[in-house]
């Protein structure tokens, strides 16, 4: 009975979603902010937050289609589910069996759901009026409640920000501590507890994150620097100087971010080679999403002649209800987590090639492993590109 009650409580809390707040045209997209925050808009445009929409990210689109096909749920129904974190300003926050019936009868064309999905207000993904219109974050909520289910929106036109003395002629301004002292709270609204349709948690950055180190924004928006928040001449005819960060949110899709992200140690013990991969970041790598991959390429040489090459892969594979290979979102189980733990290391052991006098090891990262790449038929080069991380070599005895 107690278990039943707890289950009911979880159900109710996951069903709760922020009341959608209609966004006024004057604030609906980033072009409206350009005249006074041009540099910020330009930085954000380069980020993958800006690509978080069915039309703008091939991997996201292919995954959404695949989930719909395999679960026989309408594509629009799945899109609304994913919008919880990917397009949280959506005006419809859940769909039910009635929607499925309407779609299966071919009558969904003019539905509220269709209109919500086609609305320009969500076309920019995680844009300015996602982060800066979060009025309340319910961090004490059940950990499954993420994205829309964890926040309350401000009135349209009220921007929350890091400064308590800002004033703007265009919009209202309110200060929040998660824009300033505690920004992890903002990031973890979405970057945590990513689960499959069967409630299998495939990534939880909140659990793996080691507190006490740097903040998410220290690395993904850079350190605070002297600059401006707005180019409007509000300070005696000049833009006001402020301590600011960059809105780049650079991460796994940016090759320069990978250089030096992990460290390598090589050691030979008798006939075996130990490859230690060291992670000094406060979360696992890879992390953030399932099916990412670290590849260690080993080249054994004898006086510059290549004797053998070998690739070791650190990735996670997923299985569906029938035990077949699948994508993270349809998983009921996974292979062992081989990611390099936060502030920790992972050691790979392999026989040293006989006759070799040298080994060179190079670490690479890929956004999608071969299995998921072929399940989804991805075509854009970025999904198979290998990002260089680091390399080392040692002499062998
Ligand atoms: C993923 C969340 C997120 C998104 C999206 C986002 N911001 Fe921010 N923004 C922040 C955070 C966090 C800070 C506080 C940074 C700091 O510590 O100084 C901030 C700070 C600011 C500031 C104060 C100056 C500064 O740089 O600190 C302005 C102005 C601002 N953002 C405008 C925008 C605009 C315009 C957009 C859309 C192009 C945008 N933001 C998109 C999270 C976001
Ligand atoms: C007409 C100019 C103008 C436009 C347009 C404008 N802003 Fe601002 N905004 C300002 C000024 C001025 C400030 C205060 C800057 C300061 O105090 O350093 C500001 C401050 C902010 C802050 C920081 C608030 C704080 O308390 O830290 C955020 C966030 C912000 N704007 C977001 C936006 C977003 C999002 C848009 C587009 C929907 C937008 N602004 C459009 C002029 C503008
Ligand atoms: C409303 C949900 C939401 C919030 C809040 C949010 N993110 Fe994200 N973030 C996403 C989604 C969704 C993606 C994936 C977008 C895509 O690839 O299409 C993402 C992607 C990223 C990436 C990966 C970019 C890349 O190139 O691989 C980084 C880094 C990131 N976010 C950092 C942050 C930080 C730092 C914060 C807090 C200041 C934050 N995010 C807040 C939803 C969010
Ligand atoms: C000390 C720096 C540092 C801090 C702090 C940090 N990260 Fe990262 N993060 C990295 C590095 C390095 C990578 C790997 C290279 C890259 O993607 O930039 C990474 C990767 C990521 C990715 C992409 C992972 C993938 O493979 O898809 C996401 C998403 C992300 N971080 C989110 C966060 C969030 C959320 C926080 C706070 C809870 C955070 N990071 C804190 C350094 C940091
Ligand atoms: C709990 C919030 C949340 C929900 C719900 C969610 N996602 Fe995500 N998703 C994220 C975040 C955060 C990232 C960015 C992680 C990173 O880049 O490492 C992401 C990244 C992704 C990526 C990788 C994109 C890339 O550019 O590499 C795909 C694909 C994806 N999500 C698909 C989906 C689909 C399909 C759904 C709905 C069935 C969904 N997600 C629901 C939070 C969520």
């Amino acid at each position: 009975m107690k278990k039943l009650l707890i289950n009911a409580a979880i159900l109710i809390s996951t069903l709760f979603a922020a009341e959608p707040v209609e966004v006024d045209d004057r604030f609906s997209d980033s072009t409206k902010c350009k005249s006074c925050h041009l540099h910020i808009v330009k930085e954000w445009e380069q980020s993958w937050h800006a690509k978080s929409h069915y039309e703008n990210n091939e991997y996201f689109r292919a995954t959404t289609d695949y989930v719909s096909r395999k679960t026989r749920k309408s594509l629009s129904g799945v899109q609304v589910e994913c919008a919880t974190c990917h397009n949280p300003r959506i005006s419809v926050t859940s769909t039910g069996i009635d929607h499925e019936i309407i779609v299966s009868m071919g009558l969904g064309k003019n539905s509220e759901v269709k209109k919500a999905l086609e609305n320009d207000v969500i076309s920019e993904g995680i844009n300015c009026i996602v982060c800066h219109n979060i009025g309340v974050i319910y961090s004490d909520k059940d950990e499954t409640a993420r994205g829309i289910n964890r926040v309350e929106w401000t009135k349209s036109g009220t921007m929350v920000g890091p400064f308590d003395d800002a004033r703007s002629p265009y919009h209202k301004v309110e200060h929040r501590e998660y824009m300033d002292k505690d920004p992890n709270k903002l990031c973890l609204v979405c970057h945590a507890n990513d689960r499959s349709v069967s409630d299998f948690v495939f990534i939880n950055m909140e659990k793996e994150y080691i507190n006490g180190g740097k903040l998410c924004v220290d690395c993904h928006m850079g350190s605070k620097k002297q600059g401006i928040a707005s180019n409007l001449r509000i300070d005696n005819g000049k833009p006001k100087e402020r301590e600011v960060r960059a809105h780049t949110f650079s991460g796994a899709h940016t090759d320069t971010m990978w250089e030096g992200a992990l460290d390598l140690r090589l050691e030979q013990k008798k006939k075996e080679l130990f490859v230690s991969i060291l992670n000094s970041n406060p979360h696992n790598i890879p992390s953030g999403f399932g099916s990412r991959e670290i590849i260690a390429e080993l080249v054994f040489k004898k006086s510059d002649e290549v004797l053998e090459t070998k690739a070791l892969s650190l990735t996670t594979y997923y299985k569906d209800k029938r035990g077949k290979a699948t994508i993270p979102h349809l998983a009921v189980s996974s292979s062992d987590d081989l990611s390099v733990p936060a502030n920790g290391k992972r050691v790979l052991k392999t026989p040293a090639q006989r006759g070799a006098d040298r080994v060179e090891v190079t670490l690479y990262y890929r956004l999608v492993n071969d299995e998921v790449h072929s399940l989804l038929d991805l075509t854009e080069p970025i999904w198979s590109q290998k990002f260089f991380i680091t390399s080392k070599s040692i002499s062998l005895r």
Side-chain angles (χ1 to χ4, degrees):
M1 183 62 193
K2 198 165 174 199
K3 186 148 184 246
L4 223 120
L5 279 177
I6 292 169
N7 282 343
I10 290 174
L11 204 69
I12 289 163
S13 74
T14 22
L15 287 178
F16 168 90
E19 198 58 37
V21 168
E22 203 179 325
V23 181
D24 192 282
D25 266 352
R26 285 174 301 158
F27 312 106
S28 60
D29 60 78
S30 61
T31 61
K32 310 291 181 353
C33 323
K34 262 188 174 162
S35 56
C36 303
H37 302 291
L38 183 65
H39 63 296
I40 298 180
V41 177
K42 280 195 167 156
E43 285 160 357
W44 166 85
E45 276 173 347
Q46 303 299 314
S47 79
W48 280 71
H49 276 157
K51 295 200 203 329
S52 176
H53 185 269
Y54 187 78
E55 299 293 336
N56 301 333
N57 182 331
E58 186 196 18
Y59 187 17
F60 180 52
R61 179 166 62 248
T63 305
T64 314
D65 291 347
Y66 195 81
V67 171
S68 163
R69 209 159 65 235
K70 293 285 175 182
T71 59
R72 304 207 178 134
K73 186 170 173 168
S74 65
L75 177 61
S76 49
V78 176
Q79 283 178 290
V80 168
E81 260 172 54
C82 311
T84 306
C85 299
H86 283 264
N87 303 97
R89 293 317 300 257
I90 193 164
S91 57
V92 172
T93 55
S94 66
T95 64
I97 187 75
D98 46 336
H99 176 69
E100 294 304 311
I101 294 167
I102 289 170
V103 174
S104 69
M105 291 167 75
L107 299 173
K109 305 265 175 328
N110 294 314
S111 68
E112 283 303 311
V113 174
K114 206 78 189 153
K115 275 188 231 158
L117 287 168
E118 281 164 7
N119 196 319
D120 280 346
V121 86
I122 66 163
S123 65
E124 288 188 334
I126 320 294
N127 69 353
C128 325
I129 51 156
V130 172
C131 293
H132 292 291
N133 280 9
I134 291 179
V136 185
I137 298 176
Y138 295 106
S139 291
D140 53 349
K141 270 201 154 198
D142 180 81
E143 62 173 359
T144 60
R146 296 287 155 182
I148 301 180
N149 302 323
R150 209 171 182 76
V151 303
E152 205 171 277
W153 305 114
T154 58
K155 271 201 203 126
S156 184
T158 299
M159 304 298 162
V160 305
F163 310 122
D164 50 17
D165 63 342
R167 234 172 288 148
S168 159
Y170 193 72
H171 51 77
K172 289 209 176 68
V173 165
E174 282 178 18
H175 173 256
R176 288 291 184 280
E177 106 280 359
Y178 47 80
M179 278 285 152
D180 176 14
K181 288 191 189 63
D182 190 14
N184 280 8
K185 205 167 151 183
L186 172 66
C187 312
L188 295 174
V189 165
C190 305
H191 286 270
N193 215 280
D194 216 348
R195 47 183 60 226
S196 73
V197 295
S198 307
D199 272 346
F200 174 78
V201 179
F202 55 87
I203 287 288
N204 195 344
M205 292 197 89
E206 186 168 33
K207 280 232 169 84
E208 69 193 37
Y209 176 76
I210 294 182
N211 225 329
K214 288 186 172 171
L215 301 165
C216 314
V217 292
D218 285 330
C219 298
H220 295 290
M221 294 180 83
S223 50
K224 283 204 187 199
K225 292 204 173 79
Q226 202 66 20
I228 51 167
S230 162
N231 40 285
L232 207 63
R233 299 169 184 283
I234 49 171
D235 194 17
N236 295 321
K238 284 193 307 224
K240 191 175 171 71
E241 293 235 351
R242 293 280 196 186
E243 293 246 292
V244 298
R245 294 184 198 266
H247 275 68
T248 44
F249 305 104
S250 328
H253 301 69
T254 309
D255 53 359
T256 51
M257 277 293 282
W258 279 103
E259 272 196 62
L262 297 168
D263 214 353
L264 261 180
R265 292 278 148 73
L266 309 179
E267 204 182 345
Q268 184 187 11
K269 279 187 201 152
K270 299 208 173 116
K271 289 185 175 135
E272 280 180 319
L273 177 69
F274 290 78
V275 178
S276 306
I277 305 176
L278 286 74
N279 177 12
S280 60
N281 301 294
H283 58 66
N284 295 15
I285 289 188
S287 182
F289 194 60
S291 308
R292 307 284 204 207
E293 185 177 33
I294 300 281
I295 302 166
E297 272 183 12
L298 281 60
V299 181
F300 290 96
K301 287 184 172 172
K302 184 180 183 178
S303 19
D304 285 340
E305 183 203 338
V306 175
L307 292 184
E308 196 201 5
T309 58
K310 173 169 1 175
L312 307 174
S313 157
L314 298 182
T315 191
T316 306
Y317 297 105
Y318 298 90
K319 288 218 155 56
D320 68 12
K321 278 188 280 208
R322 283 183 231 98
K324 284 205 183 137
T326 192
I327 60 169
H329 277 288
L330 295 174
V332 296
S333 68
S334 72
S335 61
D336 289 344
D337 174 13
L338 295 181
S339 63
V340 189
N343 287 1
K345 66 175 176 184
R346 184 162 298 281
V347 184
L348 310 173
K349 195 173 74 170
T350 183
Q353 176 71 17
R354 275 177 70 183
D357 59 15
R358 191 152 197 87
V359 63
E360 291 166 10
V361 180
T362 310
L363 279 190
Y364 297 100
Y365 170 87
R366 273 200 313 183
L367 288 160
V368 191
N369 67 24
D370 282 335
E371 186 169 277
V372 169
H373 195 277
S374 78
L375 283 172
L376 296 178
D377 271 333
L378 299 175
T379 60
E380 288 172 9
I382 189 169
W383 311 117
S384 47
Q385 198 178 327
K386 286 197 303 191
F387 298 123
F388 172 81
I389 304 174
T390 187
S391 71
K392 278 254 162 77
S393 67
I394 54 162
S395 309
L396 298 172
R397 283 167 274 118

